[in-house]
Amino acid sequence: MSINSKIWLSSPHMGGGERKYVEEAFDTNWIAPLGPNVTGFEEDLKKYLNEDIYVAALSSGTAAIHLGLILLGVGPGDEVICQSLTFSATANPIVYLGATPVFVDSEKETWNMSPELLEVCIKDRIAKGKKPKVIIPVHLYGMPAKMDEIMEIAAKYSIPIFEDAAEALGSKLNGQMCGTFGIKACLSFNGNKIITTSGGGAMIAKHKSSSDKAVFLATQARDNAQHYQHSEIGYNYRMSNIVAGIGRGQMEVLDLHIKNRRSNFFYYKSKLDQIEEISFLEEPLGYYSNRWLTCILIKPNIEITRESVRIALANENIESRPLWKPMHLQPVFKDSPFYSDGTSEMLFEDGLCLPSGSNLTKSDLDRVIKVIRKVMS
Ligand SMILES: *Cc1c(COP(=O)(O)O)cnc(C)c1O
């Protein structure tokens, strides 16, 4: 490989029996949004996460959030509480349903939804006359949110939790898998996630009736009749059997991917932690992150900012990316209420995601480290 070959932020990494499952689908002509790979992938996920949950494989993580919110009864005029520091896909489905997102800021320990501000928000929305319908915390970059505290507050006000675990497959909090805390949750298998099916997602539910209903809605809501009859509005959100074949192969290497991504984090940290302006997102006691992306904070000074580091990397053909721009700063959500203490804005200003793929080599990582050390010196 040439010295200047592109280093990506997070690229697909095949390595299990993906081709075998996809070929099986061809050989048996299961080229449809159902089939043995779809059922098998759902079983694999269930086995991996927790035997007591149910999984519906869908066309995307966004579809999973959309269907999950429908099943939780979100409709026009409702309010849904959403972590502000996240990817827009967390918030968009709220708007699809004619509801309003209400954004809550992050805390500094996990970069996820602040339990304190969540409670401030709930009290204020109730005082203003409307109890929020659902709370959506996110496990950003693989770091679990403070679920114990968030669940306690949610229970106190009887508001269900939809957990966005799109970036956190394999992450754990006190031994419990992310995606199994909320009444419902989503996973994503998009191209740059920790495992990918090219595009895809899943809705996780605590009850079988709920995942059955998700599959029903995802396949055009056909009533049980020979003729095509519909009593509800349906969607075309089911995962295809080809895509699910890739997923089954990827499940065989998921733990290896997590191991590699975690060692990326530890390697970056060992080489960059000495630089005073750079800090890392640490795991609090009991937290286990899949380290989907390794992110650093760069304390700005007159010469160096997050942007100058990003540009220096880009000049060396290395892709890095600012943290997600918080939703409350997005033009499209400018009218949504927001409960803030400035944390997500600070994280956005100073935060940078480093190349984190499970297929990076030590010399790739060394190239990244060398550029950062050079800018910082
Ligand atoms: C990727 C992602 C999603 C959406 O998943 P898709 O499969 O791309 O639709 C939702 N939330 C977060 C936090 C994500 O990173």
Side-chain angles (χ1 to χ4, degrees):
M1 234 186 296
S2 93
I3 191 80
N4 262 329
S5 64
K6 176 98 177 183
I7 297 179
W8 298 96
L9 186 73
S10 177
S11 66
H13 185 194
M14 298 297 113
E18 293 90 356
R19 277 173 199 271
K20 182 189 79 191
Y21 292 109
V22 172
E23 263 167 37
E24 245 169 53
F26 273 82
D27 292 342
T28 53
N29 207 29
W30 278 106
I31 317 286
L34 79 167
N37 282 338
V38 177
T39 318
F41 187 37
E42 288 174 344
E43 279 302 312
D44 292 346
L45 284 164
K46 190 176 155 86
K47 237 177 247 147
Y48 188 82
L49 290 170
N50 184 330
E51 289 287 359
D52 295 330
I53 53 104
Y54 298 89
V55 180
L58 301 172
S59 56
S60 71
T62 311
I65 300 172
H66 190 187
L67 293 184
L69 295 182
I70 292 173
L71 293 172
L72 291 169
V74 174
D78 286 336
E79 292 188 345
V80 173
I81 297 177
C82 179
Q83 182 167 321
S84 182
L85 187 66
T86 186
F87 178 47
S88 65
T90 313
N92 285 338
I94 301 169
V95 181
Y96 300 167
L97 292 167
T100 304
V102 175
F103 295 113
V104 168
D105 212 336
S106 292
E107 39 76 19
K108 292 192 179 70
E109 259 185 338
T110 73
W111 299 1
N112 294 310
M113 184 178 277
S114 155
E116 285 74 30
L117 289 169
L118 171 64
E119 187 157 23
V120 169
C121 168
I122 295 173
K123 282 185 175 159
D124 190 55
R125 298 325 292 172
I126 293 175
K128 289 196 162 75
K130 209 174 257 181
K131 184 166 122 176
K133 256 315 215 329
V134 177
I135 300 165
I136 314 181
V138 187
H139 309 297
L140 220 53
Y141 305 116
M143 181 63 77
K146 293 195 169 177
M147 291 312 292
D148 290 344
E149 294 86 337
I150 291 171
M151 299 227 301
E152 200 179 307
I153 294 163
K156 184 168 156 192
Y157 295 92
S158 304
I159 304 173
I161 290 178
F162 185 100
E163 207 188 333
D164 183 340
E167 302 177 1
L169 179 56
S171 296
K172 291 178 257 193
L173 175 53
N174 298 319
Q176 185 179 342
M177 286 285 184
C178 286
T180 67
F181 287 88
I183 181 91
K184 295 187 197 343
C186 74
L187 297 172
S188 168
F189 316 113
N190 209 326
N192 65 5
K193 298 286 157 73
I194 194 146
I195 64 167
T196 179
T197 59
S198 69
M203 196 197 82
I204 299 166
K206 286 252 198 291
H207 305 286
K208 183 164 188 303
S209 57
S210 174
S211 72
D212 287 349
K213 185 75 195 272
V215 170
F216 168 78
L217 291 174
T219 48
Q220 308 287 21
R222 281 177 58 193
D223 291 344
N224 192 11
Q226 281 304 309
H227 52 276
Y228 277 62
Q229 174 176 299
H230 307 271
S231 312
E232 280 181 74
I233 294 295
Y235 301 84
N236 185 2
Y237 279 173
R238 191 64 161 139
M239 180 177 276
S240 108
N241 195 56
I242 300 285
V243 156
I246 305 176
R248 289 183 86 179
Q250 288 273 278
M251 285 306 285
E252 298 169 357
V253 288
L254 171 57
D255 281 335
L256 186 67
H257 285 194
I258 295 172
K259 184 170 156 272
N260 290 349
R261 289 197 187 240
R262 284 180 62 84
S263 67
N264 289 343
F265 171 86
F266 289 115
Y267 193 66
Y268 279 131
K269 187 164 141 60
S270 72
K271 300 285 180 185
L272 296 172
D273 213 19
Q274 310 82 348
I275 300 170
E276 204 192 299
E277 293 86 357
I278 292 183
S279 62
F280 286 80
L281 176 62
E282 301 289 348
E283 291 167 323
L285 198 69
Y287 285 64
Y288 180 87
S289 169
N290 67 10
R291 294 292 183 192
W292 173 54
L293 297 185
T294 292
C295 309
I296 54 173
L297 293 180
I298 300 156
K299 202 161 80 197
N301 59 34
I302 357 170
E303 282 153 57
I304 303 151
T305 61
R306 173 259 283 163
E307 244 343 69
S308 59
V309 177
R310 192 190 65 75
I311 290 163
L313 288 165
N315 288 341
E316 295 297 326
N317 213 12
I318 297 168
E319 185 188 25
S320 65
R321 193 195 282 162
L323 299 201
W324 300 121
K325 180 170 182 171
M327 291 305 111
H328 72 275
L329 297 178
Q330 300 288 352
V332 74
F333 293 125
K334 66 180 189 315
D335 298 325
S336 284
F338 177 48
Y339 295 81
S340 161
D341 65 3
T343 300
S344 64
E345 285 179 37
M346 177 279 288
L347 292 170
F348 174 59
E349 283 299 312
D350 297 351
L352 189 68
C353 308
L354 301 181
S356 300
S358 44
N359 46 5
L360 292 177
T361 62
K362 184 168 172 293
S363 77
D364 291 333
L365 297 175
D366 283 331
R367 238 177 87 195
V368 178
I369 289 159
K370 199 171 147 202
V371 176
I372 297 177
R373 288 186 151 221
K374 196 165 155 215
V375 215
M376 301 304 294
S377 65

